[in-house]
Amino acid sequence: MSSEVSVAEAVRVRVAGKINLALRSSKRRPDGYHSLATVFQAVSVFDEVEARWAPPGRFSVRVVGEQADRVPTDESNLAVRAARLLRDLVAPGPVGAELVIRKTIPVAGGMAGGSADAAGALLACAVLWDLDVSPEELGEFGARLGADVPFCLTGGTALGTGRGDRLAPVLSRGTYHWVLAFSEGELSTPEVFELFDRNGFGSPGDLEVPAGLLNALVAGDPHALGENLVNDLQTVAWALRPELETLIAHGTELGAIGAIVSGSGPTVAFLAANEAQAVDLSVDLSCSGLCRSVKRVTGPVPGARLVS
Ligand code: C5P
């Protein structure tokens, strides 16, 4: 590399977690996946992925922050896989990367934490290595790593079809105030889908998200949004974790205008009418003893973005 070219020593990317405002699922497909019609919203709980130069062919990751001990740091780490994939597909010469992930998004919580880290690693390494790669290409590479990765790159509010990886923007006005209730423990997405299949769940026909939900987003009407939240996986998450049903009933009694298990759970997203109600709700839920911790967030927010 020429001495006149300035090379970034470290690149930091901030990337948001997601909730699913609607999640409709087909029966299991022959490839093992489920066709989805889902509305994602990125919310203000963030992981940070930092990438630094490493000797060619060397890839490592260190994970710090909440639940860091639950994230693998070997070759199975999705951020490492993302960096290697980008190297294989685009890097013109031998490169390596040292990654640091600062976690806040819950691990295996239904908020795409692993996919967010993969999205962050794709963007951070693309900038670090100064690659000529478009956002669309990053999205295509992301889809190879996980169905939620393309959305984690873009953020905002979007309709996901296919495996959830084919995105179309959804018009959404205003800011929504959510209280996230993080549970003790995790739920495995494959296990949730497996129980979904064993129960014979899944729509045989065309999948549709509620028109009322899309209209609520266009109108910026939180009450209508709260009434139209839907998740086909929720019953299965409740069966595996019965306390989630109790938690949702409790939050609703406390005045939440909507409540939904996010993705395959166990995180529950409670919708508040405004910021003041979200403050009250988060205090009351923290005292309930029904969840590990509570976080007040807003959405929509952007997806993976450079911090420095
Ligand atoms: O795509 P990702 O690796 O994040 O998905 C994790 C698992 O979730 C898949 O292996 C599959 O079992 C399940 N899944 C699915 N249908 C989808 C998305 C995920 O069955 N559309």
Side-chain angles (χ1 to χ4, degrees), residues 13-16 116 119-121 123-124 151-155 302-306:
V13 168
R14 197 171 81 146
V15 55
L123 181 58
F151 177 73
C152 291
L153 285 163
T154 58
R305 294 293 182 273
L306 286 178

Short mmCIF file of all heavy atoms in Angstrom, two decimals, residues 13-16 116 119-121 123-124 151-155 302-306:
data_model
loop_
_atom_site.label_atom_id
_atom_site.label_comp_id
_atom_site.label_asym_id
_atom_site.label_seq_id
_atom_site.Cartn_x
_atom_site.Cartn_y
_atom_site.Cartn_z
N VAL A 13 -18.53 0.69 14.10
CA VAL A 13 -19.88 0.74 13.53
C VAL A 13 -20.88 0.49 14.65
O VAL A 13 -20.67 -0.39 15.49
CB VAL A 13 -20.03 -0.34 12.42
CG1 VAL A 13 -21.48 -0.51 12.02
CG2 VAL A 13 -19.18 0.02 11.20
N ARG A 14 -21.94 1.29 14.65
CA ARG A 14 -23.02 1.09 15.63
C ARG A 14 -24.18 0.44 14.89
O ARG A 14 -24.52 0.87 13.78
CB ARG A 14 -23.43 2.45 16.20
CG ARG A 14 -24.22 2.34 17.47
CD ARG A 14 -24.39 3.72 18.05
NE ARG A 14 -25.48 4.40 17.39
CZ ARG A 14 -26.30 5.26 17.99
NH1 ARG A 14 -26.13 5.56 19.26
NH2 ARG A 14 -27.27 5.84 17.35
N VAL A 15 -24.79 -0.56 15.50
CA VAL A 15 -25.86 -1.27 14.78
C VAL A 15 -26.98 -1.62 15.76
O VAL A 15 -26.74 -2.03 16.89
CB VAL A 15 -25.28 -2.51 14.04
CG1 VAL A 15 -24.53 -3.44 14.94
CG2 VAL A 15 -26.34 -3.24 13.25
N ALA A 16 -28.22 -1.38 15.30
CA ALA A 16 -29.39 -1.50 16.18
C ALA A 16 -29.97 -2.91 16.17
O ALA A 16 -29.83 -3.65 15.20
CB ALA A 16 -30.47 -0.51 15.71
N ALA A 116 -27.07 -8.53 13.84
CA ALA A 116 -26.62 -7.14 13.94
C ALA A 116 -25.09 -7.10 13.95
O ALA A 116 -24.47 -6.26 13.29
CB ALA A 116 -27.18 -6.49 15.21
N ALA A 119 -23.83 -7.73 10.50
CA ALA A 119 -24.01 -6.52 9.68
C ALA A 119 -22.94 -5.49 10.02
O ALA A 119 -22.33 -4.87 9.14
CB ALA A 119 -25.41 -5.93 9.90
N GLY A 120 -22.69 -5.32 11.32
CA GLY A 120 -21.67 -4.36 11.76
C GLY A 120 -20.29 -4.75 11.25
O GLY A 120 -19.52 -3.88 10.79
N ALA A 121 -19.98 -6.03 11.28
CA ALA A 121 -18.66 -6.51 10.82
C ALA A 121 -18.52 -6.31 9.31
O ALA A 121 -17.45 -5.93 8.82
CB ALA A 121 -18.47 -7.97 11.19
N LEU A 123 -19.91 -3.98 7.42
CA LEU A 123 -19.67 -2.56 7.13
C LEU A 123 -18.29 -2.12 7.63
O LEU A 123 -17.54 -1.44 6.92
CB LEU A 123 -20.78 -1.70 7.74
CG LEU A 123 -20.66 -0.20 7.49
CD1 LEU A 123 -20.65 0.12 5.99
CD2 LEU A 123 -21.81 0.57 8.16
N ALA A 124 -17.96 -2.52 8.86
CA ALA A 124 -16.68 -2.08 9.44
C ALA A 124 -15.50 -2.59 8.61
O ALA A 124 -14.56 -1.83 8.32
CB ALA A 124 -16.57 -2.58 10.89
N PHE A 151 -31.70 -6.67 6.94
CA PHE A 151 -32.42 -5.60 7.65
C PHE A 151 -31.52 -4.88 8.64
O PHE A 151 -31.60 -3.65 8.79
CB PHE A 151 -33.67 -6.13 8.38
CG PHE A 151 -34.34 -5.03 9.15
CD1 PHE A 151 -35.05 -4.04 8.48
CD2 PHE A 151 -34.18 -4.92 10.52
CE1 PHE A 151 -35.61 -2.96 9.16
CE2 PHE A 151 -34.72 -3.85 11.22
CZ PHE A 151 -35.45 -2.87 10.54
N CYS A 152 -30.64 -5.60 9.31
CA CYS A 152 -29.75 -4.94 10.28
C CYS A 152 -28.85 -3.92 9.58
O CYS A 152 -28.44 -2.94 10.20
CB CYS A 152 -28.91 -5.97 11.03
SG CYS A 152 -29.90 -6.98 12.15
N LEU A 153 -28.54 -4.13 8.31
CA LEU A 153 -27.74 -3.15 7.58
C LEU A 153 -28.54 -1.88 7.32
O LEU A 153 -28.02 -0.77 7.45
CB LEU A 153 -27.26 -3.75 6.25
CG LEU A 153 -26.10 -4.76 6.35
CD1 LEU A 153 -26.00 -5.58 5.08
CD2 LEU A 153 -24.78 -4.04 6.62
N THR A 154 -29.81 -2.05 6.96
CA THR A 154 -30.59 -0.86 6.53
C THR A 154 -31.30 -0.19 7.70
O THR A 154 -31.34 1.04 7.78
CB THR A 154 -31.65 -1.24 5.47
OG1 THR A 154 -32.50 -2.22 6.04
CG2 THR A 154 -31.01 -1.79 4.22
N GLY A 155 -31.92 -0.98 8.58
CA GLY A 155 -32.66 -0.41 9.71
C GLY A 155 -33.95 0.25 9.28
O GLY A 155 -34.51 -0.06 8.23
N PRO A 302 -31.89 4.16 12.42
CA PRO A 302 -31.16 3.59 11.27
C PRO A 302 -30.47 2.27 11.62
O PRO A 302 -30.30 1.94 12.79
CB PRO A 302 -30.11 4.66 10.95
CG PRO A 302 -30.53 5.88 11.67
CD PRO A 302 -31.32 5.45 12.85
N GLY A 303 -30.02 1.56 10.60
CA GLY A 303 -29.29 0.31 10.79
C GLY A 303 -27.81 0.57 11.02
O GLY A 303 -27.44 1.54 11.69
N ALA A 304 -26.94 -0.27 10.44
CA ALA A 304 -25.50 -0.17 10.69
C ALA A 304 -24.95 1.16 10.17
O ALA A 304 -25.14 1.50 9.00
CB ALA A 304 -24.79 -1.34 10.02
N ARG A 305 -24.27 1.90 11.03
CA ARG A 305 -23.71 3.22 10.65
C ARG A 305 -22.33 3.39 11.26
O ARG A 305 -22.07 2.94 12.39
CB ARG A 305 -24.60 4.36 11.18
CG ARG A 305 -25.97 4.42 10.56
CD ARG A 305 -25.93 4.80 9.08
NE ARG A 305 -27.25 4.89 8.50
CZ ARG A 305 -27.95 3.88 7.97
NH1 ARG A 305 -27.45 2.67 7.96
NH2 ARG A 305 -29.15 4.07 7.45
N LEU A 306 -21.45 4.10 10.54
CA LEU A 306 -20.11 4.37 11.05
C LEU A 306 -20.15 5.30 12.24
O LEU A 306 -20.89 6.29 12.22
CB LEU A 306 -19.27 5.05 9.97
CG LEU A 306 -18.79 4.18 8.82
CD1 LEU A 306 -18.03 5.02 7.83
CD2 LEU A 306 -17.93 3.03 9.35
#
